Amino acid sequence: MAAVTTTEDLRLVGISKEFETFTAVHPMDLTVPGGSFFALLGPSGCGKTTTLRMVAGLEAPTSGSILIGDKDITGSKAYQRNVNTVFQSYALFPHMSVLDNVAFGLKRKGDRNAMAKAVEALDLVQLGPVAKKKPSQLSGGMQQRVALARAVVNRPDVLLLDEPLGALDLKLRRQMQIELKRIQSEVGLTFIHVTHDQEEAMTMADTIAVMNAGRVEQLGDPATLYERPASTFVANFLGQSNLIEASVTGPPSGGVVPARAHGQDVVVSAELLPAGLKDIWIGVRPEKLRLGGGGRNKMAGLVTDASFTGVATQYLVRMPWGFEVMVVQQNDGSARACVGENVTVSWDPGQEFVLDQNQAEDAGVVVDHG
Amino acid sequence: MAEAVAESALPTRSPGTPARPRRRRANWVPYALLAPGLLWLIVFFVAPMVTTLSTSLQQGNVDDGYVLTGNVAVYWEALQAYWPQLLRSLVYAGIATLLSLALGYPLAYFIASRKGRAKNFLLVLVIAPFFTSFLIRTMAWQSILSGEGGLLEKLLGWLHLGFLFDWFGNVLEFLHLSPNGQILGSPWAVVWGLTYNFLPFMILPLYTSLDRLDGRLLEAAGDLYATPRETFRYVTWPLSLPGVVSGTLLTFIPAAGDYINSRLLGNTNTVMIGQVIDSQFLRVLDYPLAAALSFILLILILGMVTAYVRKAGTEELV
């Protein structure tokens, strides 16, 4: 079953989409390696779904071209493309049985073994027993898997997933994330997953393209995006970030560069500092900050909030200049701080990331819509 | 165990036990709400049905009065005398229904695919003919189709296409659909009149079910390699079936009993059963025969509709 086809790269060349009143996607280039699990991540309205629909053939690009391998598919209709979509609403045909839904694509292609393959695909998503039922008789999670089977069974060159887990509850979503990943490695297809859930993207994807306002902000594997975000948008959109204003005060020495942040001397890893940058944001992830003076860079603050989450404790510590940093301390037996306590917050150079200060501090801050 | 069950069942019956007034009162409400509607049905539907049935089984004449004799033979006589008109009614109504479907489906689809104001405007246009009397609208067709200075003839003449009018009449004559090469007074005109008059009843239910159709399903079909034609055949059409079924019923049933179109647009060889019933009741004054014909028509339509709905198998119809 594994890797039946040698999957080819999907390439978007200078693709853009303009609607009457706004530009959904600015001209962009994107290459999705064949057989990879690729995520398009961004807030709603960032153009990720439009990009997906252009690949599916449901939207015609204003400019640019779409290629699978060397084949240009820009001008072809949706039904002519060897691309399938798992829709956000699932869009299962309500008048057909689950099995007929799954066999639909193969039948249109004139596959003689449509039914046998559909049965096999339903087994893959563990829905064999409900093949004869109508979609409306299934739970949301089951419908989601039917939609997946209906797309996967066609062995498309590219499988598009449009926020397919959005309608599921948290527990089911986790389960389906693992399931999707398993299926992807089993069938070896190229998956493009559109989502606004950064955690989902990071859990599942090999490569993530973070999109913002119709442009790709950064492209990379989840660890790189998280550890070395290229913009404040990415830093804030993927996980929590503490951004501290600072300016470089001297030349590098011993692998570090001295800087001054709100009247305190700190050092920044020389290799992380982009050349020629003077006014910077020093970004430190909450779990990289430590309570106590163990790290080389130290700052004093007042604990204003502490919430125990089980595996860790999450603190808000107010810095002398009023900014509240978030510190996450693993629940590893180390001493805990209380609200109102004066603490020292520290980190080592090399644990931070450095960004240009002319970027907005609050770009990509996710307003909690939990 | 058995005794205990019996005992626990007993108290509700024994006179000494207080009843549960709360529950009883609650049970009354649905019936109270149903009562006006039921009463209406009894007075205006059941009672006339019973009197019609009774009339059909009476014998006598207008001057001496009628006596209920249970004369079932009248049904046989009615069938023998008027089976051609009965059959013709069903055939005309059937053709008119198919024509309405063929004309109405694309129209309903078009309206459903419009947005906002355009949609409402088009719907108003569909309903607009109802602002004029059914009779007047049919008479209008009389003057449109007339071969003696009718609107259609004039219009075609003005466009230098007058030959089309004569040509169409000749085709009708050749097909034995017109006795004299005229469009008016032909079976074609009758079927056209029926189609025209009942078209809105076809369009509205079709529109409702097409409007409800989820556009994302059509996208999904396209995504799954279905050509536009296949998308229509496997997705749009089956999902619009409830509208098709109710539309065809709403067209076929009144068309089969129609007595205006054939009179105004047809000739003596296009007489439909509604016309016969009308004249038997109001001109010949043979009430039993007219009542028997009404009942036969009712049973025929009921039978056909039941078979049709069973076959179409739409549970969501009602």
Side-chain angles (χ1 to χ4, degrees), chain A residues 53 79 81-82 84-85 92 95, chain B residues 217 219 222-223 225-226 228 234:
Chain A
R53 288 174 62 84
Y79 61 88
R81 294 185 187 192
N82 203 15
N84 288 116
T85 312
L92 299 175
H95 58 297
Chain B
L217 292 178
E219 280 190 350
D223 187 68
Y225 313 109
Y234 296 109

Side-chain angles (χ1 to χ4, degrees), chain B residues 130-143:
Chain B
F130 289 121
F131 291 116
T132 322
S133 149
F134 181 75
L135 200 61
I136 290 179
R137 278 182 281 139
T138 313
M139 286 165 87
W141 275 106
Q142 217 172 9
S143 64

Side-chain angles (χ1 to χ4, degrees), chain B residues 254-311:
Chain B
D258 180 80
Y259 60 97
I260 297 289
N261 285 284
S262 152
R263 181 183 297 157
L264 295 182
L265 306 174
N267 59 38
T268 46
N269 290 322
T270 64
V271 175
M272 288 172 73
I273 197 66
Q275 243 177 310
V276 175
I277 295 170
D278 177 56
S279 68
Q280 290 295 328
F281 260 125
L282 301 177
R283 262 159 271 226
V284 186
L285 303 181
D286 189 346
Y287 296 148
L289 186 74
L293 279 172
S294 303
F295 245 82
I296 291 169
L297 182 64
L298 182 90
I299 302 292
L300 273 176
I301 291 178
L302 214 62
M304 289 177 77
V305 165
T306 313
Y308 174 62
V309 172
R310 284 248 175 94
K311 181 125 198 299

Side-chain angles (χ1 to χ4, degrees), chain A residues 53 78-79 81-85 87 89 91-96 105 108 150 154, chain B residues 214 216-228 230-231 234-235 238-239:
Chain A
R53 288 174 62 84
Y79 61 88
R81 294 185 187 192
N82 203 15
V83 171
N84 288 116
T85 312
F87 292 90
S89 61
L92 299 175
F93 303 124
H95 58 297
M96 294 181 196
R108 299 291 83 76
R150 187 176 71 169
N154 304 300
Chain B
D214 188 348
R216 291 174 295 191
L217 292 178
L218 306 182
E219 280 190 350
D223 187 68
L224 291 162
Y225 313 109
T227 59
E230 285 172 323
T231 302
Y234 296 109
V235 182
L239 286 175

Side-chain angles (χ1 to χ4, degrees), chain B residues 186 204 211 242 266:
Chain B
S186 68
L204 292 178
D211 194 44

Side-chain angles (χ1 to χ4, degrees), chain A residues 59-212:
Chain A
E59 213 83 72
T62 310
S63 72
S65 48
I66 304 166
L67 298 102
I68 293 177
D70 294 323
K71 212 172 93 199
D72 191 329
I73 60 163
T74 319
S76 61
K77 299 260 189 275
Y79 61 88
Q80 296 163 327
R81 294 185 187 192
N82 203 15
V83 171
N84 288 116
T85 312
V86 178
F87 292 90
Q88 186 170 16
S89 61
Y90 313 146
L92 299 175
F93 303 124
H95 58 297
M96 294 181 196
S97 71
V98 165
L99 187 66
D100 286 332
N101 261 283
V102 176
F104 189 87
L106 292 174
K107 279 189 186 163
R108 299 291 83 76
K109 284 203 286 189
D111 192 318
R112 292 204 176 160
N113 295 319
M115 280 304 177
K117 285 183 183 171
V119 169
E120 202 178 304
L122 275 180
D123 286 339
L124 181 73
V125 295
Q126 293 153 4
L127 283 178
V130 299
K132 291 269 180 312
K133 292 199 175 177
K134 290 275 170 71
S136 59
Q137 293 170 289
L138 307 184
S139 69
M142 286 166 127
Q143 290 184 25
Q144 205 282 327
R145 281 185 282 166
V146 175
L148 181 65
R150 187 176 71 169
V152 168
V153 74
N154 304 300
R155 295 287 180 273
D157 293 330
V158 182
L159 185 89
L160 307 170
L161 302 121
D162 185 8
E163 308 236 12
L165 309 179
L168 305 180
D169 62 58
L170 190 66
K171 202 176 157 202
L172 207 51
R173 200 149 67 208
R174 293 266 180 281
Q175 218 174 309
M176 282 306 301
Q177 286 173 3
I178 297 166
E179 190 93 332
L180 264 179
K181 194 78 186 135
R182 174 180 72 81
I183 289 167
Q184 196 260 343
S185 57
E186 235 165 86
V187 297
L189 301 173
T190 311
F191 275 38
I192 300 183
H193 185 161
V194 156
T195 179
H196 65 267
D197 183 338
Q198 44 98 8
E199 211 174 314
E200 190 170 294
M202 289 206 280
T203 328
M204 302 170 72
D206 308 321
T207 312
I208 301 175
V210 182
M211 286 189 72
N212 179 28

